[in-house]
Amino acid sequence: SFRHLTYDLKGSSYSRSVLAKSSLRNFNPEEASGKILKDNDFKHIEQEICLSDEDYSRLVKQVEHDVNFLEERNLMDYSLLITISTQNSFSEFSFPNQKHRIYFGTNIHGHRVMMAVGIIDYFQQFTFGKKMELTMKKVFTRAAKDQISSQAPDIYASRFLCGVHNVFTNPSLRPSLRAE
């Protein structure tokens, strides 16, 4: 069977669902077809993706480098876009020129997956308007302060990287090193 899903992840949970909770209990990939899913959807459908030592190290190092670059430029509100494909079999050798963009892993259900990963929407600066959005959401919503999307770049970067470490795992990592 083949499944193709796309996620826009920010490392946040407040207002980060596309599918209804009832859809997640008896998930049917057809319901998600053509939709870009979000953090809460990922937590219910995929939970995490296990990567090889090499891919985990390569991916996390690149994302950390990119996030540091964005933080230094006072940027926030970016996302990690992940497209995940599952099928009965595919060869890693099918994509020889895409080694830096394509990752292979295993999802929580034991299915082999192929992923394309990248940071998107990275032009949002932490302006006065974004500071006001953060203040208003703190006052008028019941969301945990750190789960509101609009954050100062250093807080946003920290939360985003924590989210990345919760999405991707590696069999050689000790549980104590995983982000909570």
Side-chain angles (χ1 to χ4, degrees):
S1 69
F2 178 76
R3 183 178 73 156
H4 180 84
L5 298 173
T6 301
Y7 297 93
D8 175 318
L9 306 177
K10 293 181 178 285
S12 174
S13 60
Y14 177 71
S15 196
R16 298 292 300 158
S17 299
V18 171
L19 301 175
K21 286 187 180 187
S22 59
S23 297
L24 293 171
R25 280 193 282 280
N26 299 309
F27 179 68
N28 176 357
E30 297 296 320
E31 292 178 39
S33 180
K35 295 179 181 174
I36 297 180
L37 305 174
K38 296 185 180 180
D39 297 70
N40 295 332
D41 304 311
F42 182 91
K43 287 176 187 173
H44 286 91
I45 298 166
E46 308 291 346
Q47 296 177 16
E48 64 184 24
I49 303 293
C50 184
L51 299 173
S52 69
D53 290 344
E54 178 186 343
D55 277 354
Y56 180 84
S57 177
R58 185 169 52 97
L59 176 65
V60 169
K61 182 179 178 182
Q62 185 62 56
V63 170
E64 287 174 348
H65 179 268
D66 292 349
V67 167
N68 288 335
F69 176 85
L70 295 169
E71 181 184 350
E72 288 169 3
R73 282 145 186 83
N74 203 37
L75 297 169
M76 42 75 72
D77 213 17
Y78 40 87
S79 298
L80 189 70
L81 187 71
I82 306 173
T83 298
I84 300 175
S85 297
T86 61
Q87 62 188 54
N88 291 336
S89 66
F90 43 66
S91 169
E92 294 183 29
F93 302 105
S94 301
F95 307 93
N97 297 325
Q98 301 298 319
K99 180 73 174 147
H100 62 286
R101 295 186 194 121
I102 303 292
Y103 297 87
F104 293 86
T106 307
N107 68 12
I108 198 77
H109 310 291
H111 299 121
R112 186 100 167 111
V113 298
M114 178 180 67
M115 300 175 298
V117 179
I119 294 179
I120 62 167
D121 298 336
Y122 47 81
F123 290 118
Q124 180 61 58
Q125 287 199 305
F126 193 56
T127 60
F128 177 75
K130 283 293 181 181
K131 290 176 187 173
M132 289 302 298
E133 176 185 341
L134 174 60
T135 301
M136 297 305 282
K137 284 183 177 178
K138 282 181 190 176
V139 172
F140 293 109
T141 69
R142 295 177 187 238
K145 177 176 82 171
D146 63 338
Q147 289 301 311
I148 297 171
S149 184
S150 183
Q151 295 287 342
D154 59 332
I155 295 170
Y156 191 91
S158 177
R159 184 189 67 207
F160 184 84
L161 289 173
C162 183
V164 168
H165 287 282
N166 282 322
V167 166
F168 300 106
T169 187
N170 176 281
S172 64
L173 286 177
R174 293 188 312 272
S176 61
L177 296 177
R178 299 259 348 272
E180 294 299 321

